[in-house]
């Protein structure tokens, strides 16, 4: 059994992982919800018989259609348009609802689940990050992901699921549209404070190769730590 499931597969990191696994002749099941046609990456790999794409919200997926995945990479996210508490609460409730569904499925299938998070949860702290440091995010994206991490950990433990959290800086050559939108909100609503935060967080990147190698190590059980932080 080598099947892999990727939520948020249409994002650039999702596409990067998807292509890597397909090149290794692994069946990839991808979930994303696109409100437009003509996604270049999906169009290119859509003819591959090993790729199975579900253009649906997570709550509407027929999970019985997915053959038991060895590993689930959870990248699905939604970005807020403002810092308004009501909208952030709605975004987080939806994220947690989706996350619980995926973790519950992981428990049923005895699958490992990996949440891709961000080093933005550390705020202004520069690497190397102390293992015992409590995250103190000071950006909207970092705050949202730290909240997701907390819920993810609690839920995975409740369902007795094998899980990992991978905190990464930007991956060279890959856009993170959710982070970019969150930064735009910060810039508009924090009167320039986010400019300094952005300069600090964007100063560090990792290569695509390092990201892929680290994901493979987690899949193969070569990393035992629950939280993995990557930096060059």
């Amino acid at each position: 059994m080598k099947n892999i499931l990727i939520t948020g597969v249409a994002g650039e990191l999702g596409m990067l992982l998807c292509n890597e696994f397909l090149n290794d002749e692994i069946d990839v099941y991808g979930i994303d919800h696109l409100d437009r046609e003509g996604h270049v990456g999906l169009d290119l790999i859509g003819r591959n018989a090993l790729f199975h794409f579900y253009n649906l919200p997570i709550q509407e997926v027929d999970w019985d259609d997915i053959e038991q995945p060895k590993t689930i990479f959870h990248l699905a996210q939604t970005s807020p348009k403002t810092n308004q508490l009501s909208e952030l609460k709605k975004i987080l409730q939806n994220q947690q609802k989706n996350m619980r569904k995926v973790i519950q499925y992981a428990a049923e299938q005895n699958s490992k689940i990996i949440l891709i998070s961000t080093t933005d949860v550390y705020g202004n702290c520069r690497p190397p990050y102390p293992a015992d440091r409590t995250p103190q995010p000071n950006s909207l994206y970092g705050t949202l992901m730290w909240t997701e991490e907390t819920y993810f950990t609690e839920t995975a433990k409740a369902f007795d699921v094998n899980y990992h959290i991978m905190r990464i800086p930007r991956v060279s050559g890959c856009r993170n549209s959710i982070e970019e939108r969150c930064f735009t909100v910060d810039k508009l609503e924090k009167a320039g404070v986010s400019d300094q935060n952005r300069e600090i967080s964007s100063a560090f990147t990792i290569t695509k190769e390092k990201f892929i190698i680290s994901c493979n190590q987690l899949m193969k059980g070569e990393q035992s730590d629950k939280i993995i932080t990557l930096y060059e």
Side-chain angles (χ1 to χ4, degrees):
M1 179 193 67
K2 289 187 175 182
N3 302 331
I4 300 295
L5 170 62
I6 303 173
T7 70
V9 71
E12 294 198 14
L13 286 182
M15 285 281 91
L16 179 63
L17 288 176
C18 185
N19 281 297
E20 178 69 19
F21 297 139
L22 291 175
N23 288 337
D24 290 338
E25 299 185 346
I26 296 174
D27 274 87
V28 177
Y29 292 82
I31 300 173
D32 215 316
H33 188 209
L34 307 179
D35 58 2
R36 62 183 178 84
E37 299 293 333
H39 186 288
V40 176
L42 291 175
D43 289 345
L44 289 174
I45 66 175
R47 303 181 189 90
N48 192 319
L50 296 175
F51 181 59
H52 318 273
F53 178 56
Y54 299 85
N55 187 5
L56 292 167
I58 284 176
Q59 297 298 321
E60 296 180 15
V61 172
D62 185 350
W63 297 87
D64 291 335
D65 284 349
I66 301 175
E67 293 189 21
Q68 184 182 18
K70 177 181 179 181
T71 306
I72 299 171
F73 288 91
H74 187 54
L75 293 92
Q77 297 174 354
T78 304
S79 61
K81 296 179 181 179
T82 71
N83 261 332
Q84 295 296 317
L85 181 60
S86 58
E87 181 177 359
L88 295 179
K89 184 177 180 180
K90 182 178 179 181
I91 290 289
L92 287 171
Q93 286 176 339
N94 184 65
Q95 293 285 76
Q96 291 174 359
K97 183 179 178 182
N98 288 338
M99 189 177 290
R100 183 178 182 86
K101 183 70 176 179
V102 178
I103 292 174
Q104 183 177 3
Y105 176 73
E108 294 169 354
Q109 301 297 318
N110 194 29
S111 304
K112 178 184 297 184
I113 182 168
I114 300 169
L115 173 68
I116 305 299
S117 185
T118 174
T119 53
D120 283 7
V121 300
Y122 292 111
N124 288 340
C125 179
R126 294 174 176 269
Y129 306 104
D132 59 349
R133 177 182 172 85
T134 300
Q136 294 179 320
N138 56 8
S139 66
L140 177 57
Y141 184 60
T143 301
L144 289 175
M145 290 308 302
W146 171 232
T147 304
E148 285 193 33
E149 281 191 23
T150 302
Y151 183 82
F152 176 83
T153 301
E154 293 172 351
T155 308
K157 288 181 177 178
F159 279 98
D160 194 24
V161 169
N162 186 6
Y163 74 94
H164 296 279
I165 295 171
M166 181 184 289
R167 294 172 179 163
I168 63 172
R170 284 199 157 225
V171 177
S172 298
C174 288
R175 289 184 57 206
N176 184 331
S177 59
I178 305 296
E179 182 184 16
E180 290 173 0
R181 291 170 195 163
C182 285
F183 168 61
T184 299
V185 172
D186 275 339
K187 187 174 182 179
L188 291 173
E189 300 190 13
K190 289 189 177 180
V193 173
S194 62
D195 288 340
Q196 180 181 2
N197 297 341
R198 180 64 168 180
E199 181 180 350
I200 291 173
S201 63
S202 65
F204 305 101
T205 61
I206 57 172
T207 63
K208 294 178 181 178
E209 291 75 17
K210 182 165 185 175
F211 175 64
I212 290 171
I213 288 171
S214 298
C215 287
N216 276 309
Q217 288 175 337
L218 285 178
M219 284 175 53
K220 296 174 182 177
E222 297 174 4
Q223 287 273 11
S224 60
D225 293 340
K226 290 302 181 184
I227 298 178
I228 311 297
T229 302
L230 301 185
Y231 54 89
E232 293 289 11

